[in-house]
Amino acid sequence: MEKVKRTIERVAKPGYEYELYIHTAIKVLAETSSESVESLLKAQDTGIGIRVFRNGKIGFAYTTDLSEESLIECYKRAVEICELSPEDDTNKPFCARVEGELNNPYDSTVLYVTPQDLAQRCIQLEGFAKTLDNRIKGVRKLSLKGVYSEVYHFNTCGIDYHYASSSFISTIGVLAQEGEDSSISYDFRASRYLADLPLEDMVKDAVFKAVSQLNPSDFESKVMPTVFFRDAFASLLEAFSSVFLGDSLIKDKTMLKGKEGQIIASEVFTLIDDGTIEKGLASSPVDAEGILTRRNLVVKNGVFKGFLHSYRTALKSGQEPTGNSVRDSFKTLPTSGITNLFVEPSNTSFEDLTTFFPETLLVLDLMGLHTVDPISGDFSLGASGIILKEGKEVKRVRGITISGNFLEVLKNIRAVGNDLVFYGNVGSPSVLVERLTVGA
């Protein structure tokens, strides 16, 4: 970083503030299928994003070549873009004294583990899946990926820090077969530490969902109580997570605009975004602009408390930044985003959720989440699951449709379970919704 800083400082134009964001990612990946290795990869990606600011104007450019010549050219491009951009008084860097190596525990395993090591573990997990139920005929794909990241962040307003982080992510798709019918179900888990990655729990859940969808029965459309299995509700929450972001607010792309302090959900529903959770996948000491991360109450007992802001969206909306500036890599600009977003669990058991009403649909899988409308909140999704009476299975259903509005779902939540699980950086327990339209 010191060499990069000296290079840019030498050519920096008077009157311009600037920011240097260097990101390095080392990735190791293994994919297996039918207990055979499909793919092995170990790769490194390094680059720098340069932002320049002047009189409410901003320019941005990036490069993967950190040679002196390329750095100078990248800075000049950013300046040229800045001079041509429109003025906006929120286009300015965050000014604060944040310096040195920041404490952000990570798993060094990712630096020396090999793709072959990960592949061996994947094949073991495939074998484990088959031992759980004789109807499991194979694994379509099982992947295990580790990522080590380093961030160096400097700006001319007092930011000069660096930190490292790590993540491990695994996904699985299992095939179940009974008679002439077959079904496939997927699951995934992620963790900062490989030792904490609940791989066997992931396999168990995927097997449970796959065999629970075999030989489905006909179903008549109706409005009925519905329990979303924890990963199904986490998926729905993630699909609509943009409605809570400052960028959606300033772009007028959220139905929550103007609803701060109002009741938008059931009183049993509390939603939290927390970038400080110990070992949280998206936890970090600061956000992508150097602002301290924190625990943010998004919804408290049904009341919408406020949006998640980056520095710019906070300035734009007259609010305080919440430590929710994110950037995918050096190639992207900071924007508002979630850190570790989760539904606060209660002390209600999963069994109690499924016996609260005489008849309940247990949703195990959702399809078509990319089609939801985060502006209106409307959705119509494919689903699979189990019809329960007094908590006992009476039929399996597949290819049904659940439809409604996200805010109506939140308002109709009757109970929240105690089985919180994080799927990446989004977590949820199982959730009971009193009324949902279910179509055949």
Side-chain angles (χ1 to χ4, degrees), residues 28-33 39 118-119 122 125-126 139-146 168-173 187-189 197 199 202:
V28 56
L29 169 72
E31 293 180 340
T32 64
S33 179
S39 178
L118 299 184
C122 288
L125 289 169
E126 287 197 43
V139 173
R140 285 294 178 89
K141 180 169 285 189
L142 202 159
S143 69
L144 182 53
K145 179 174 74 172
F168 288 88
I169 301 172
S170 185
T171 62
I172 187 172
D187 210 290
F188 83 101
R189 293 290 196 277
L197 193 61
L199 294 169
M202 174 189 73

Side-chain angles (χ1 to χ4, degrees), residues 272-277 280-284 338-342 422 424-427:
I272 300 166
D273 182 90
D274 191 347
T276 69
I277 295 176
L281 189 71
S283 294
S284 64
I338 61 174
T339 59
N340 303 300
L341 183 71
F342 66 99
F422 271 91
N425 64 324
V426 179

Side-chain angles (χ1 to χ4, degrees), residues 289-322:
E289 292 177 284
I291 297 169
L292 292 176
T293 54
R294 69 188 198 189
R295 177 184 174 94
N296 293 295
L297 275 172
V298 183
V299 180
K300 173 65 173 175
N301 297 129
V303 177
F304 179 47
K305 307 301 287 186
F307 292 92
L308 301 171
H309 285 291
S310 66
Y311 183 54
R312 180 173 182 270
T313 66
L315 291 175
K316 200 81 172 173
S317 58
Q319 303 295 317
E320 290 187 2
T322 61

Side-chain angles (χ1 to χ4, degrees), residues 34 43 72 74 80 88 115 141 143-144 181 193 231 268 277 281 300 309 320 360 385 394 438:
S34 301
I72 293 172
C74 185
E80 290 172 358
D88 184 331
K141 180 169 285 189
S143 69
L144 182 53
D181 189 46
Y193 290 81
D231 71 324
V268 302
I277 295 176
L281 189 71
K300 173 65 173 175
H309 285 291
E320 290 187 2
T360 306
V394 294
V438 182

Side-chain angles (χ1 to χ4, degrees), residues 217-228 353-354 356-363 379 383-398 400-404 408-409 412-414 431-440:
S217 303
D218 293 335
F219 180 79
E220 294 183 1
S221 300
K222 59 176 149 179
V223 176
M224 66 183 302
T226 300
V227 171
F228 287 87
L353 295 180
T354 61
F356 202 98
F357 293 99
E359 183 181 49
T360 306
L361 166 65
L362 172 61
V363 172
F379 65 88
S384 300
I386 304 170
I387 302 296
L388 305 170
K389 288 191 176 180
E390 307 296 344
K392 304 295 184 182
E393 177 185 323
V394 294
K395 67 169 69 173
R396 301 165 182 175
V397 291
R398 198 167 69 211
I400 59 174
T401 300
I402 61 169
S403 57
E408 289 303 312
V409 168
N412 280 300
I413 291 175
R414 188 64 178 268
V431 173
L432 169 62
V433 177
E434 185 169 358
R435 292 171 55 83
L436 191 68
T437 300
V438 182

Side-chain angles (χ1 to χ4, degrees), residues 5 8 142 158 171 280 291 351 357 376 378:
K5 285 161 58 178
I8 301 302
L142 202 159
T171 62
I291 297 169
E351 291 72 21
F357 293 99
S376 68
D378 293 336

